[in-house]
Amino acid sequence: MTATLAGCGGGTGGTGEVTLKLVAADYGTGPANTSRKYWDGLVKGFEASHPGIKVDVTVHSWKDIDREVAAMVKKGQAPDIAQIGSYADYAKAGKLYRADQMVSIRTQANFLPSLAEAGSLNGTQYGLPFVASTRLLFYNKKVFAQAGLDAPRTWNDIRDDAAALGQRGVTYPFALPLGPEEAQAEAMMWLLGGGGGYIDDSGSYEIDSAENVRTFDWLKTNLVDKGLVGPTAPGKLDRQKAFEAFTDGRVGMLNGHPTLMQEAERKGVPVGMVPMPGINGPGRSSLGVADWIMGFKQNGHRVQLGKFFDYLFTDKNVIDFADAYDLLPVTDSASAAMESDTRYKPLWKFLDALPDSQFYPYGKTSWARSSESIKENVGKAVEPNGSPASVLGRIARDSAAAARAD
């Protein structure tokens, strides 16, 4: 499952025996729920209905997948299909088919518009959204009830509720994971609530905007300096550790995604979920996160890739994967099907948030370097002697330099 694949040559048309090489990420936590099971079932169905096209699947962990694909491409052995975390570098290098060169008009038009846009480089879609998630504010309903608190709607509600929970001995009144694991997500949720974000309307970075500095000034003054974020400094707290503390009942509030919901309930923690509060009320948009699947040009299997992707993005296949990992479908029709099925009621709030969600600037090839600077530095903005303006300014300079190098 971790062997590097060689590319498959030949077969540029729609006839003849062709084997598509597919490399995918593993969303499971072990052999019992490995993504390999999903792909094996999907490929079996596809091959049965598409004689002459075989699919050879390799699954790598998320720790390894991007590096493995990059190494394959560098060797001149690109897979036909890669399901990974980003597409822009390969699209810019001219290595990917456009979406409209592969999939049917019906398939392309069925992607949620916000995801189709996020999968586009310079207005052209190359990244096909594979799966998505949104974020909501989670709170422990038991400790909130014990403290006589209602769900927060504004930042001041978060501050006041956290103070009340702290007085009652809750270890992490508000868990603020700005550690290197996923600081770019936590930071963006707060920036959106403060009327800012990572880029402006023209697509340029605006990381040290007045709105963003104000947001981190508020976080530092109202939560961190008041000791309401728990015993671990935000810059040292990773998302997974914060999630584990929540499922252990030691967190009052934190920002979470659908997978956390099931794990918390499995461990007996009653979960409340509301849209991420903003300065004066619920935020106008949530953070959305997507993973991507794409077709490489190298082996010339455009027609076969299109047939595979049209099959992959049927409602059943989209829903089966999303359901297996408590994630969200990426198409209008699959989303509508889940919204009308009470089996998926726990996901409805996340589905409601998805169409208006804001995504990372996936189409900027500089985003990977900008994201690394955020992960490395943004937690310093709320340190005891930290300066939000200075730290965000440093990240902005790093991002601008990365953009100029594109």
Side-chain angles (χ1 to χ4, degrees):
M1 288 180 56
T2 58
T4 301
L5 295 177
C8 178
T12 60
T15 61
E17 182 82 14
V18 166
T19 297
L20 300 176
K21 300 288 188 176
L22 186 156
V23 183
D26 195 348
Y27 289 73
T29 57
N33 67 343
T34 175
S35 299
R36 180 82 202 201
K37 294 183 177 181
Y38 170 81
W39 289 113
D40 285 349
L42 182 138
V43 166
K44 182 178 180 181
F46 173 77
E47 291 180 348
S49 58
H50 294 78
I53 307 177
K54 301 295 184 183
V55 184
D56 181 6
V57 180
T58 298
V59 175
H60 293 289
S61 73
W62 269 111
K63 290 191 303 180
D64 300 326
I65 184 71
D66 290 319
R67 183 177 66 253
E68 291 285 348
V69 172
M72 294 164 65
V73 173
K74 186 175 181 179
K75 291 179 184 177
Q77 299 175 345
D80 294 286
I81 302 166
Q83 187 271 299
I84 51 179
S86 61
Y87 65 86
D89 283 338
Y90 299 122
K92 184 183 178 185
K95 296 184 181 297
L96 302 181
Y97 286 115
R98 302 190 311 265
D100 64 0
Q101 291 177 305
M102 299 182 295
V103 302
S104 66
I105 294 173
R106 179 177 181 178
T107 295
Q108 189 172 8
N110 197 24
F111 292 125
L112 292 168
S114 58
L115 285 164
E117 181 180 353
S120 299
L121 178 68
N122 298 325
T124 299
Q125 186 179 0
Y126 294 91
L128 309 181
F130 178 69
V131 74
S133 70
T134 53
R135 307 298 167 88
L136 298 173
L137 180 76
F138 282 52
Y139 64 96
N140 184 319
K141 292 172 71 172
K142 179 179 179 180
V143 299
F144 262 64
Q146 291 171 342
L149 301 174
D150 296 321
R153 292 174 51 84
T154 68
W155 285 1
N156 286 344
D157 291 342
I158 288 177
R159 177 198 61 201
D160 295 344
D161 291 350
L165 296 173
Q167 291 173 356
R168 297 183 66 87
V170 175
T171 306
Y172 291 88
F174 193 102
L176 185 66
L178 293 174
E181 180 186 356
E182 206 186 30
Q184 81 283 6
E186 184 70 21
M188 185 168 168
M189 284 181 267
W190 286 97
L191 298 182
L192 291 173
Y198 290 140
I199 59 173
D200 60 23
D201 292 339
S202 69
S204 299
Y205 289 111
E206 60 164 5
I207 292 172
D208 60 346
S209 68
E211 293 85 357
N212 291 348
V213 172
R214 179 181 63 184
T215 291
F216 270 84
D217 279 334
W218 189 93
L219 281 171
K220 184 176 187 303
T221 301
N222 290 273
L223 293 183
V224 183
D225 290 352
K226 292 183 182 298
L228 300 177
V229 295
T232 304
K236 303 293 184 183
L237 182 63
D238 282 334
R239 180 200 63 182
Q240 188 57 39
K241 293 297 183 183
F243 280 13
E244 289 170 2
F246 185 82
T247 61
D248 288 341
R250 296 183 291 125
V251 173
M253 296 171 278
L254 86 172
N255 295 314
H257 56 58
T259 306
L260 175 62
M261 170 185 62
Q262 185 180 60
E263 180 64 16
E265 292 179 346
R266 187 180 70 82
K267 296 184 71 173
V269 176
V271 177
M273 297 176 292
V274 292
M276 177 65 187
I279 298 177
N280 299 312
R284 291 176 296 174
S285 61
S286 172
L287 169 67
V289 178
D291 297 323
W292 306 95
I293 194 164
M294 62 213 69
F296 280 83
K297 291 180 178 178
Q298 180 176 326
N299 302 318
H301 295 152
R302 179 181 63 82
V303 172
Q304 294 87 353
L305 288 173
K307 292 179 179 179
F308 179 79
F309 286 135
D310 284 341
Y311 182 85
L312 172 66
F313 288 109
T314 56
D315 285 356
K316 179 183 184 303
N317 292 327
V318 170
I319 291 173
D320 281 352
F321 192 89
D323 183 39
Y325 298 103
D326 289 319
L327 294 168
L328 303 181
V330 295
T331 63
D332 281 317
S333 58
S335 296
M338 290 187 81
E339 287 172 341
S340 63
D341 189 333
T342 55
R343 289 180 298 169
Y344 304 114
K345 188 173 182 179
L347 293 174
W348 285 356
K349 287 186 177 181
F350 295 96
L351 286 165
D352 288 344
L354 185 58
D356 295 323
S357 292
Q358 297 292 313
F359 293 85
Y360 300 135
Y362 289 113
K364 296 174 76 69
T365 55
S366 57
W367 168 241
R369 282 159 286 174
S370 176
S371 178
E372 284 304 313
S373 182
I374 295 167
K375 292 178 184 178
E376 181 180 345
N377 295 300
V378 77
K380 300 172 185 176
V382 296
E383 289 178 351
N385 296 317
S387 166
S390 296
V391 172
L392 294 181
R394 175 179 177 179
I395 297 170
R397 291 190 295 274
D398 290 345
S399 300
R404 288 193 298 271
D406 282 350

